[in-house]
Amino acid sequence: MIAFERRESAGWIAQAIAYLLAIAAGLLASVVLITITGADVADGLGALWQGAFGDAEAIGQSLAAAIPLVFTGLATVVAFRAGIWNIGQEGQVFAGAMAGYWMSLQLAGAPAIVAVPAVVLASVAGGAAVAALCAVLKTRFDVNEIISTMMLNYIIVYLLSYLLAGGPWIEAGSTAYHQTPLIADTFRLPELFGLHLGAPLALLATAAVALVIGRTPLGFELRGLGFNPVALRYKGVRVATTIVMAMAISGALSALAGVSEVFGINFRLRAEVLNGLGYTGIIVGMIGALNPWGTLVAALAFGAMANGALYMSVLTDVPSALVPAMQGILLLFVLGAAVLTRYRLRFGRKDGRHG
Amino acid sequence: MAELLTPAILLSILSASVGAATIILLAALGELLTERAGIWNMGVEGTMLCGCLAAYVAMCETSSPITAAGAAMLAGVAAGLVIGFLTVSLKVDHFVTGLGFNLLASGLTLFLFRSYTAGGKPAGYATIDRWPIPFLSEIPGIGPILFNQHLLTYAALLLVPLVSVFLARTRPGLECRAAGENPEFLEAKGISVAKRQYGALLVGSALTALGGCFMMLAFANEFRPDISGGRGWLAIVAVIAGNWRPFRTMIAVIVFAVLDSLAVHAQGMGVAIPYQFFLMLPYAASILLLAVVRTRSGQPARLGIPFLRR
Amino acid sequence: MQRQPVLSVRGLTKTFGPVRANDAVSFDVGAGELVCLFGENGAGKSTLSACLAGLHSPDGGEIVLNGEPVRFSTAADAIVAGIALVHQHFLLVDDFTVLENIVLGHERGLFVNYRAAEKKLRALCRRYGISVRPDARVGDLTVGERQWVELLKALYHEAAVLILDEPTATLDLQESRKLFRIIDELKTAGVALVLISHSLAEVMRSDRVVVLRQGRVVGERATSETTPQELTRLMIGREVERKHRGSSRPGRPCLDVEHVTIRRPGGAPILDDISFSVAEGEIFGLAGVAGNGQKPLMEAIAGVLPFSSGRVLIDGELLADLDVHGIQKLGVGHIPEDRLSEGLVGDFSIAENIALGSHRDVFADGHFLNRGAIRVAAAVAIADYQIAAPSAETRARALSGGNAQRVVLARELAAASRVLLANQPTRGLDVGVIEYIHDRLIEKRAAGCAVVLASSELEDLLNLSDRIGVMFQGRLMGIVDARSTSIEEIGLMMAGQKREAA
């Protein structure tokens, strides 16, 4: 029998040790997975490392792969810190990319100084609107946000599929299926030091989320909501409004992931380039301990893993799918480890005092 | 829409619906059992996916549907153990656990599938045959819809009253429900809440995985990443919209299944409306259903709240 | 007529940490006898009943049942032995039927034999004149009917000893009468009954009264040979020390509560037509046993709980259109009953808890929190209110009860320029802290604030208040002048007797 005693607060050393143990256990489990494929473990992990950090180009690609994960990770942080289970990052990424693309069609021919901000704003509005819709469904109609955000993921993915496959956005005269034509130069995110505008934006967003959560009245309410909504209500905080605000911000952040992939890297809208960014963002945010800077670090690690996986799958027999499996395993171990920091576990009989 | 509703097509849609309903129904009944015991398991989608992969590999290896069903249920039990360890033993938040498990299952099944097929795709297998019930299946109209189905479909439909009786009339059923309603009461009677919750989770997850297995046996002869396509989530919605009652849950499942089959048929017939909009229907319907059907009287009082013994 | 007692408690002791909840308690109950355990909140009645019912294991002493010493490790053991507890807070599964609640945990085999169980239940209902449908869902029953289910649960298992913990707290007058009819039936059937009550009317219907104070038995009387006045004196323990603190001179009316009512579907109203007025510079005490409407009344005034009808005014301004925050801005402070779940965010620091509620105005600087101001306010609060904590960054959850309450106090007293609502502000705290909080309340009164103070400590109310309103089952039984009233008068009203028109 295990008894749980709530700890008042765990020391940061205990937290760090629990964390490191979880990550070590996750890596060990990944090694087991590689063994299953029959591949050489050292070769596999070596290739993964090489692909992620082998040379300057690899590092650049790893950073680029991390950018959207920073945004979706931060989207997770904002919602989960408020105790709102937004798992619609996937759909909100798509919605953001679609709204941005729509804006680029409306402003065809506009100079970059107008075009780029307009696209970013439109996409942010699109992502925020989808997320806010789920918040209203929750506060007004008592629809569980996990369900509504998840279902909207499917709906939005199909909507894009319609727009691209035979729909209005298909590339005329192209044999390529399911993608838009290339986006005009003026709409592309400008490049800085070999990375697109998304990189500084991601850093800025991390700082901004940290600032909002830590330093503003809204962030204050948001954190309070995650801890004790009852006490907030007793002190006159409008809980429903706070939920809508948190969701809108979360959706807006996810949308930026869509913008950076479509307008910063691929220059056309295709579902494949957006797939999984939202779901991975949930893992990134949770492994980042729902802390903006921790999330940044986790996103960098996950971006490197995703980038290295391609290289690994080419060089060895280990499929690139190792990476999502590894990430899932890491997440569960980190979740389990978090318990150790919240409770002090006592092993033994139910009640020692019985005679 | 007119050409969509000729009697023959309607019949075929309804018949396909009953088949499609089997997948969601098995998962929904599993989830219902689990939720009635107080565990708000959000890992249905992932559990179903595990069932799909297990059934697929077993079919490829043995061509035996029975082995496939057994393998899927074992995978379901394994999934239930993982979720149970986190929620029941470690008291991790139920939602977080479920979400985490889905992400794990999505990644892990993809990895295992790719590893399994790395040396070339297996030959695949034929989908299983229907088991028409003699005489009954020849009744015009209702016959082909209800009595020309797969064995597992009959079993799933039979499970609805069985689950209902289990919860209402049996001692373990009563104790599971008490675990979801008032675990302190159960503990005061000297009955272990954790054992009832683990039990419900394992049985429930096995049923969910069996739903995944049926999908592989009757509808697909190849595994695809995330092949369950949100049916696990629809099962959760069906339980909520069904107010945690087996028969009402079945009705919600049938709504989803009809919409699901409608999409398949619309695709095949070249209706003017793009097929993607049909594909959205079950998901849109699920949100609408939750917003409209707002009776939550059957929701277990302690659903999703980790039970900490004093 | 008394033979060997059915239940005999010998020197029972139960401690929780440093607190002796039961200290060498001894008493007997015979077959067909109704013994009443009488005492204030916290006198140890509920702990005692929990020990008897196997919910707690005593640290010392013994429980003797029919001459045999017994030891229970679970409630199930006690039930098997024949001791049943009818809980004050019903231990029932709301979503279950009456029958399911009764059979749970007492069946073997796969299927429950509902038919036999129902037959037995119906027979019991007939015998005691209880009309509850076995297939009714408990959640649909009125609070009174649930009490019958609790009782049936005990009767079903043929208890030899029946402990009734505050059984009438949730019953109306008619139902209470019915309960006592059933109790009479049980006495004739030879069941040994223990009644826990603070209602004098009920106490006087028992055969014997055992008075508890601070965990000890302080007196035992045959009911026929005692008076309510004597029992009340025993319960309080001494002649109340009357040191009325500072004579205040109430000013003009500040807080007006008019006909405030909160109805509840299928039950007695939560608040029933409450009207009173509090002047500036006055402390209005709310007496009453916990759970008789003090909490909803405070919350209705503070805007946390909407009410069905009636109105509340502060300085003549109607509060109807204001939310909690708007009411706070009028100068209302509210110390809620449960400081950890309602008053504080446990995972917030002291500083953050001080800022909570004013974080958008007083402690905001443009779009940002004014962290400087919060730090200063927290430092001032820690110094002024002598909050013992390593720093202002300490989580509220890590504080002791007294220090946590000081944080709430610091925040709410700062907000309360006109009205202070203090609900059980000293509950569970030690003497030093209580004195301190009282001083603060009196300061607030001196500053011209209208103070509403609810407390289960009669003595404190008598010493601090100018007037005292007594609540019983959601009604205001009467308002008395604190200086001229007596503890007996208030005690009688708390126990449900209306004040005779003076």
Side-chain angles (χ1 to χ4, degrees), chain C residues 343-357:
Chain C
L344 296 168
V345 176
D347 291 280
F348 267 0
S349 67
I350 293 174
E352 285 170 317
N353 273 298
I354 294 284
L356 184 60

Side-chain angles (χ1 to χ4, degrees), chain C residues 248 250-251 277-284 445 448-452 466-467:
Chain C
S248 73
S277 168
V278 187
E280 45 185 29
E282 183 186 28
I283 294 182
F284 183 82
R445 166 172 70 186
C449 207
V451 180
V452 183
D466 299 294
R467 287 180 301 142

